[in-house]
Amino acid sequence: MSTLSWIITVALAGGILSVVAAAALSVALGTHRVSMLISYAIGALLGAAFLEILPHALEHGQPQRMASTVLFGILVFFVLEKLVLWRHCHHDHCEAHEAHAPANDHGRSGLLILVGDTFHNFVDGILIAAAFLENTELGIVTALAIIAHEIPQEVGDYLILLHSGYSKMKALAYNLLSSLATLVGSLLAYYALSELTEWIPYLLGLAAASMIYVAVADLIPGLHKRTELKATLQQVLLIGMGVASIAVVQALVGE
């Protein structure tokens, strides 16, 4: 196989494999308990942002610029969420004016996660292409490491899409569509690697911003609706498990 064939095959297979594996694991855990598993999703998002994505961004970018990128990203996602909320608010009939908020958020947090995940997948594609352009063995190892890193995060993304009101099939379909950004990133990197590598830290900063924003602004406030000690301990434990899953995968496959 040529280098380009390897890149296309691995980028497609890797994206699909991580998304399908995440969806299967989510179903095995029991999607009927999505509200409880959202605590795990929060941990997975925060773990991915602070333990994986931001450290990689800081390796290639200046700390001040990276901090500015994350801040800019959080503000952009706030405005984007406002636009989605306004789209669902007609006169006084929307969740912002209701005494009892609906179980889901009309897809807001799901949309923000998909945008951020698309940035992240695009960068993964660039990294895969860069590794294969070095040599095939390095490309395969890099792709396997990326897939392993992605699975716990994709589990969190899938659960958030379900929590946000998407059906199981739509959540899977949108995640698969987002995973195609890996192929786009790898193909562009194959033909213009030097130009794209300059954008990696900024794309990673935006991806981290989406994860931090969704976890802190959209998901954590919902956990405060249950104040009993048992529920609080369960939430803390599951958040810790989400963070730990990212840390464990990193320890097993390396940075």
Side-chain angles (χ1 to χ4, degrees):
M1 289 177 66
S2 66
T3 299
L4 180 59
S5 298
W6 269 111
I7 290 172
I8 293 174
T9 301
V10 169
L12 271 176
I16 293 172
L17 180 61
S18 61
V19 170
V20 171
L25 184 56
S26 300
V27 172
L29 291 172
T31 53
H32 61 286
R33 293 180 293 181
V34 168
S35 59
M36 183 187 76
L37 294 173
I38 283 301
S39 298
Y40 169 86
I42 291 170
L45 288 182
L46 294 177
F50 287 104
L51 300 181
E52 179 186 355
I53 297 176
L54 285 178
H56 286 171
L58 289 169
E59 286 178 7
H60 304 284
Q62 298 177 4
Q64 186 173 359
R65 289 186 178 181
M66 288 304 93
S68 298
T69 300
V70 173
L71 176 59
F72 173 75
I74 289 173
L75 294 176
V76 166
F77 286 111
F78 169 75
V79 173
L80 179 59
E81 184 172 26
K82 278 291 188 181
L83 293 174
V84 177
L85 178 61
W86 287 335
R87 178 173 172 267
H88 286 280
C89 270
H90 301 290
H91 306 295
D92 290 332
H93 302 290
C94 73
E95 64 179 280
H97 305 105
E98 293 174 6
H100 301 286
N104 62 66
D105 60 9
H106 297 300
R108 294 202 316 274
S109 57
L111 174 62
L112 300 183
I113 279 298
L114 286 172
V115 172
D117 199 34
T118 299
F119 283 126
H120 190 197
N121 290 334
F122 183 81
V123 172
D124 284 345
I126 296 174
L127 298 177
I128 289 172
F132 270 106
L133 287 171
E134 186 67 27
N135 64 69
T136 301
E137 291 76 13
L138 179 61
I140 293 173
V141 171
T142 301
L144 290 175
I146 286 174
I147 292 169
H149 277 295
E150 281 289 299
I151 290 175
Q153 180 198 315
E154 292 289 353
V155 170
D157 292 350
Y158 185 76
L159 291 171
I160 290 167
L161 289 173
L162 295 179
H163 176 72
S164 196
Y166 292 78
S167 67
K168 294 177 184 178
M169 289 305 298
K170 280 190 175 181
L172 178 60
Y174 282 127
N175 257 355
L176 286 172
L177 187 62
S178 174
S179 74
L180 292 179
T182 305
L183 177 62
V184 175
S186 64
L187 288 175
L188 289 177
Y190 179 78
Y191 293 106
L193 181 62
S194 59
E195 289 81 359
L196 283 177
T197 50
E198 298 177 2
W199 289 91
I200 285 179
Y202 303 103
L203 293 172
L204 288 175
L206 291 175
S210 76
M211 295 175 185
I212 295 169
Y213 180 83
V214 169
V216 174
D218 285 343
L219 301 181
I220 288 180
L223 300 186
H224 294 317
K225 294 178 181 178
R226 297 186 62 187
T227 58
E228 61 270 24
L229 180 60
K230 181 179 178 180
T232 300
L233 291 175
Q234 183 184 69
Q235 290 166 358
V236 171
L237 177 62
L238 287 169
I239 290 173
M241 289 174 61
V243 174
S245 66
I246 300 293
V248 167
V249 171
Q250 280 188 323
L252 291 176
V253 302
E255 298 293 330

